[in-house]
Amino acid sequence: MEDFKEGMIVRIFCEDFLTYKSIECHPCAKLNMIVGPNGTGKSSLVNAIVLGLGGKINVIGRAKQLSAYVRRGCQTAKIQVELYSEPRNYVICRTFTVDNRNNWWINGEHVSLKQVETLIKKLNIQVDNLCQFLPQDRVQDFAKMDSKQLLENTLKTVGSTEVVDLHTDLKELREEELKLGVKTNEKRKQLESEKKKIARLETEVQAIKEREETLKAVKMVEKKKAWVEFNDIEKRKKEVLLDRNKILELKKTAEKDLLPYEKEIQETKETMKLVEKSINKEIKIGGENSSAMRRKFDGVSNTDDQIHSVRNELQRKLDTEMKRTQRISSLEEEIHRLESVIDLRKEATLEKQVSQLYPQMSNKNNKIS
């Protein structure tokens, strides 16, 4: 067995399988051909290889139930496939019954189908790969394969596991590349959209900044306006205070001018007291003659007339002084009222009122004088 390689079939044995009651053949390491008329069991031997190496029934495409491969009139079929390996060959044995029950052995040890599949995969045997194993009933399926499927199955057939893995990785990378391309285009579109949005927002931000600058300018103008108005109010306040001071000075002057009159009134009052005292004294003197009394009486009458005249003059001056005092009080109240209701919009009226007070004060001063 010098020409045999790992995994090659060195023996096939069938018992009660399809048309075979019992058959055993030993393929060589090179090309093997099975020749015979139709119905002699050529395809049956191929089916035994597929089923004996763990292949699925649909790979053969002949029957849907495993029981269909049991020889007519028998209950159990048996397949043995011996594979070359160093230092010892693998003998895979499979039995199945008409009620589709399965049993597997490897080198006489009872195993599961999973263990058989693991061994088959290790030996790179692919009975479901149409490029490695092509049953007669699956030729049309092979013809339907596209270039990608042919390449993939060919790599699985002749290539190593590493090559197949690399090809799989290459396909995954290509799919990932396509996905990344789609994502890149989406991100590019999103970027363009964001750029447009940013440009629009920049315009809005610029408009907001300009509006804020305008508002700042308006506030500054309002502050300047308020300051100017405040200065005007202060100026007018000073003018009103100056007018008030002038009026107070006039009042003081009037009071000063009134002092001599008050002194004269006081002296007149003292004189009246003396005259009244003298009259009372004269009345008590009863021993004087009538002529003397007449003269005295006439003198008293004259004195009484003088007293009456002085009293009238004094009353007139008192009334004048009282009116002047009342007028001064009224003017002071008017000044206080004007100070409390100063308003910029009534400035003209205030100046007019103040200007009207000056003639009145002058008239009063003239009357007092």
Side-chain angles (χ1 to χ4, degrees):
M1 294 188 178
E2 295 179 357
D3 295 332
F4 279 90
K5 295 182 179 180
E6 189 79 11
M8 284 187 173
I9 299 174
V10 297
R11 183 175 66 89
I12 303 171
F13 172 78
C14 298
E15 183 178 84
D16 296 330
F17 180 76
L18 290 175
T19 59
Y20 296 114
K21 180 174 178 58
S22 179
I23 183 176
E24 183 176 276
C25 62
H26 298 268
C28 65
K30 303 297 182 180
L31 179 64
N32 292 274
M33 298 182 65
I34 302 174
V35 182
N38 291 337
T40 57
K42 299 186 298 296
S43 298
S44 297
L45 192 59
V46 174
N47 294 338
I49 294 174
V50 174
L51 297 177
L53 295 177
K56 302 295 187 292
I57 296 177
N58 58 1
V59 173
I60 301 172
R62 181 170 180 172
K64 296 182 179 180
Q65 295 292 331
L66 188 61
S67 59
Y69 292 90
V70 179
R71 184 169 175 266
R72 187 182 300 273
C74 299
Q75 297 296 316
T76 303
K78 181 179 180 181
I79 301 172
Q80 280 187 354
V81 180
E82 185 175 350
L83 304 175
Y84 180 80
S85 181
E86 291 291 344
R88 179 186 177 187
N89 292 344
Y90 293 107
V91 179
I92 301 174
C93 179
R94 180 180 189 180
T95 63
F96 50 91
T97 64
V98 292
D99 55 359
N100 297 311
R101 288 183 297 171
N102 269 294
N103 284 290
W104 293 90
W105 289 267
I106 297 178
N107 293 335
E109 182 181 354
H110 192 270
V111 295
S112 64
L113 175 60
K114 184 68 176 177
Q115 290 173 295
V116 174
E117 290 175 345
T118 302
L119 175 61
I120 296 302
K121 184 177 180 181
K122 174 184 175 183
L123 298 174
N124 197 26
I125 298 173
Q126 305 169 31
V127 293
D128 57 345
N129 186 348
L130 297 181
C131 291
Q132 188 179 94
F133 187 86
L134 182 59
Q136 180 179 349
D137 297 327
R138 298 289 306 280
V139 173
Q140 59 179 352
D141 294 334
F142 178 81
K144 293 178 181 179
M145 293 174 63
D146 57 23
S147 58
K148 293 181 180 180
Q149 292 173 329
L150 287 172
L151 175 61
E152 184 176 352
N153 288 319
T154 301
L155 286 175
K156 290 180 180 179
T157 301
V158 300
S160 63
T161 305
E162 294 180 356
V163 174
V164 175
D165 292 340
L166 288 174
H167 181 254
T168 302
D169 293 340
L170 183 62
K171 289 195 300 180
E172 292 177 354
L173 289 174
R174 177 57 180 168
E175 291 177 358
E176 186 68 22
E177 180 185 5
L178 294 175
K179 291 180 181 179
L180 289 175
V182 174
K183 290 182 179 179
T184 301
N185 291 332
E186 292 176 353
K187 293 295 182 181
R188 187 177 290 109
K189 292 180 181 179
Q190 185 178 358
L191 178 61
E192 293 298 327
S193 176
E194 293 297 329
K195 285 182 178 179
K196 292 179 181 179
K197 184 177 179 181
I198 290 173
R200 185 173 65 255
L201 291 176
E202 286 178 349
T203 304
E204 294 178 359
V205 169
Q206 184 63 29
I208 292 173
K209 287 182 178 179
E210 292 177 357
R211 180 175 177 273
E212 289 178 350
E213 292 296 329
T214 303
L215 290 176
K216 287 181 180 179
V218 170
K219 289 181 179 179
M220 183 60 67
V221 171
E222 290 178 350
K223 290 180 180 179
K224 290 182 178 179
K225 178 183 177 183
W227 183 253
V228 171
E229 291 176 350
F230 175 76
N231 289 335
D232 290 341
I233 292 173
E234 286 293 322
K235 183 178 179 181
R236 291 168 185 172
K237 178 182 177 183
K238 289 179 180 179
E239 293 175 354
V240 172
L241 291 175
L242 183 61
D243 293 340
R244 176 179 176 274
N245 292 332
K246 289 181 179 179
I247 293 172
L248 292 176
E249 290 295 330
L250 291 174
K251 177 185 174 184
K252 290 180 180 179
T253 302
E255 290 176 349
K256 185 177 181 181
D257 294 338
L258 186 62
L259 289 176
Y261 294 100
E262 291 179 350
K263 184 177 181 181
E264 183 179 350
I265 290 170
Q266 187 65 30
E267 290 177 353
T268 303
K269 288 181 179 180
E270 294 294 332
T271 302
M272 286 179 65
K273 289 181 180 180
L274 292 174
V275 171
E276 288 178 354
K277 186 177 181 181
S278 177
I279 291 172
N280 292 329
K281 184 178 180 181
E282 290 294 332
I283 291 173
K284 291 180 180 179
I285 299 174
E288 296 181 356
N289 54 33
S290 58
S291 58
M293 290 183 66
R294 174 62 60 183
R295 287 194 301 273
K296 292 288 184 181
F297 181 77
D298 292 338
V300 170
S301 297
N302 292 332
T303 303
D304 188 57
D305 291 337
Q306 292 177 358
I307 291 171
H308 188 268
S309 177
V310 170
R311 282 182 175 177
N312 289 336
E313 181 65 20
L314 179 61
Q315 186 65 39
R316 185 183 64 79
K317 290 183 177 181
L318 288 174
D319 292 340
T320 301
E321 177 62 19
M322 184 176 294
K323 290 180 180 180
R324 190 185 69 81
T325 303
Q326 291 176 352
R327 185 58 183 168
I328 290 173
S329 298
S330 176
L331 290 175
E332 288 178 346
E333 291 177 359
E334 184 68 15
I335 289 170
H336 289 302
R337 187 184 68 80
L338 291 175
E339 287 178 347
S340 63
V341 295
I342 290 175
D343 194 328
L344 294 178
R345 293 173 295 181
K346 297 181 180 180
E347 181 183 1
T349 304
L350 179 61
E351 291 179 354
K352 184 177 179 180
Q353 291 177 352
V354 173
S355 62
Q356 289 176 354
L357 291 175
Y358 283 121
Q360 295 178 7
M361 290 294 297
S362 298
N363 292 334
K364 294 300 178 181
N365 290 330
N366 292 332
K367 289 180 180 180
I368 293 172
S369 300

